[in-house]
Amino acid sequence: MDRMKFLEAEFVQGFIRMAKDGWEQGWHERNGGNLSYRVKEDEVALVEENFDRKEWQPIGTAVPKLARQYFLVTGSGKFFRNVAIKTEDSICMIELDDKGENYRIVWGLAGGGRPTSELPSHLMNHEVKMRVTNGKYRVIYHAHPANIIALTFVLPLNDAVFTRELWEMATECPVVFPGGIGVVPWMVPGGREIAVETSKLMERYDVAVWAHHGLFAAGEDFDLTFGLMHTVEKSAEILVKVLSMQQGKRQTIKVEEFRDLAKAFGGELPEEFLYEKEE
Ligand code: 13P
Ligand code: ZN
């Protein structure tokens, strides 16, 4: 592969497109949300000649399994709206040290700044996902979609309830996130504590709600991760509409129908989410 200008690389273009799509969905008011991509070795080689390595900085947590890996990430306080317009000022590529405790910027944030304040959550989630998917997952995405946030004020903050209610709102949901969805109660964002709680959920789920704040999604590539965020938020929107029209649902997908669906798609749905409900 020929070496190339940083912005021309396909993975950089994919990152930019995803940020633009998220902005257009209305999920990124001001600097809300952040995105990270674990860059492949051959992709690093492709753009390396553009690097200007800055000094090491503490990550704020330890991710030893990610030692020496490179990530493309949005900057703290940077607007998703600007990622496509002022890319070099809005995002950066970072390299981790050989302990996974420090990072340094190798490209981007041209006007100064640092990677997202949620870097501990992104990296701890990457570390878990890299392990449980044998290196397949590369994208972690945090957004502030209004409908899923609204539901954290009216549903109990419980994995089983969020999973089941969202599954019921669109037939594709159990197919797109058959593992379910985790819920983190309200916590102070931007630090190690919320990162630890979120990464525990990422052992099992691809998507985790932050109560009264937003959503974290993990996936193999930009399309699948964006698609997951989109599917969860769409389902939340339908639930918000239904709950705004009348109390409760007149009818919905039944437990037996979820089992039929799982069979038809050759998968399994955890029984704990198929509990009997009181009418
Ligand atoms: P950053 O601007 O630091 O990425 O923070 C935005 C955000 O959504 C915090 O949760
Ligand atoms: Zn946020």
Side-chain angles (χ1 to χ4, degrees):
M1 261 190 278
D2 288 334
R3 291 171 186 279
M4 54 169 64
K5 287 202 188 99
F6 195 89
L7 290 176
E8 286 167 4
E10 200 181 328
F11 73 97
V12 180
Q13 286 298 314
F15 187 101
I16 293 169
R17 188 178 73 140
M18 180 152 161
K20 187 168 185 283
D21 288 348
W23 157 253
E24 283 168 1
Q25 288 295 327
W27 300 338
H28 300 284
E29 76 291 343
R30 205 174 179 279
N31 63 311
N34 22 77
L35 173 63
S36 67
Y37 170 70
R38 188 165 58 82
V39 187
K40 296 176 185 163
E41 258 175 60
D42 58 340
E43 292 169 331
V44 175
L46 208 61
V47 297
E48 192 160 46
E49 65 184 3
N50 302 282
F51 289 177
D52 172 16
R53 294 185 158 87
K54 301 283 180 345
E55 57 292 351
W56 293 105
Q57 303 286 347
I59 294 168
T61 190
V63 282
K65 295 273 167 15
L66 299 179
R68 290 179 296 277
Q69 297 244 13
Y70 288 80
F71 296 84
L72 197 58
V73 349
T74 48
S76 185
K78 300 296 179 180
F79 292 20
F80 262 58
R81 161 112 227 250
N82 290 333
V83 170
I85 302 163
K86 296 191 278 185
T87 308
E88 207 162 341
D89 187 51
S90 306
I91 71 171
C92 63
M93 185 140 149
I94 59 169
E95 174 189 8
L96 305 196
D97 69 359
D98 51 15
K99 287 198 176 124
E101 289 175 7
N102 298 285
Y103 73 86
R104 63 178 171 187
I105 294 173
V106 302
W107 182 92
L109 288 176
R114 59 186 190 86
T116 172
S117 58
E118 305 296 359
L119 191 64
S121 280
H122 279 259
L123 294 180
M124 291 187 87
N125 290 341
H126 275 294
E127 193 179 41
V128 167
K129 282 304 182 192
M130 192 177 82
R131 171 166 49 77
V132 301
T133 70
N134 278 325
K136 234 165 72 178
Y137 277 28
R138 293 188 171 272
V139 181
I140 300 289
Y141 182 30
H142 169 57
H144 295 173
N147 293 287
I148 193 79
I149 297 171
L151 290 178
T152 67
F153 295 89
V154 300
L155 293 183
L157 299 175
N158 165 306
D159 299 4
V161 173
F162 264 78
T163 299
R164 178 67 173 276
E165 293 307 309
L166 292 171
W167 277 2
E168 285 185 5
M169 304 325 293
T171 300
E172 67 168 335
C173 286
V175 180
V176 175
F177 50 103
I181 180 165
V183 183
V184 181
W186 188 86
M187 291 179 78
V188 175
R192 185 171 185 274
E193 222 178 305
I194 197 166
V196 169
E197 291 313 308
T198 312
S199 63
K200 276 189 209 157
L201 293 176
M202 286 291 173
E203 295 274 347
R204 161 162 199 200
Y205 304 112
D206 281 348
V207 55
V209 180
W210 278 7
H212 323 321
H213 183 146
L215 197 63
F216 260 86
E220 211 172 312
D221 59 26
F222 296 123
D223 281 349
L224 289 169
T225 314
F226 187 86
L228 176 58
M229 179 74 69
H230 205 182
T231 305
V232 170
E233 171 58 5
K234 177 86 176 275
S235 178
E237 182 182 351
I238 299 167
L239 184 53
V240 167
K241 283 184 167 37
V242 169
L243 295 176
S244 315
M245 286 188 278
Q246 62 172 48
Q247 234 196 335
K249 305 162 195 164
R250 182 172 182 139
Q251 58 268 323
T252 182
I253 305 169
K254 300 186 187 74
V255 168
E256 273 319 304
E257 292 170 336
F258 279 119
R259 295 204 177 99
D260 291 343
L261 189 65
K263 241 182 270 161
F265 283 87
E268 256 182 76
L269 299 173
E271 277 297 314
E272 66 194 276
F273 301 139
L274 301 179
Y275 52 86
E276 288 303 329
K277 285 185 174 178
E278 294 182 12
E279 286 307 308

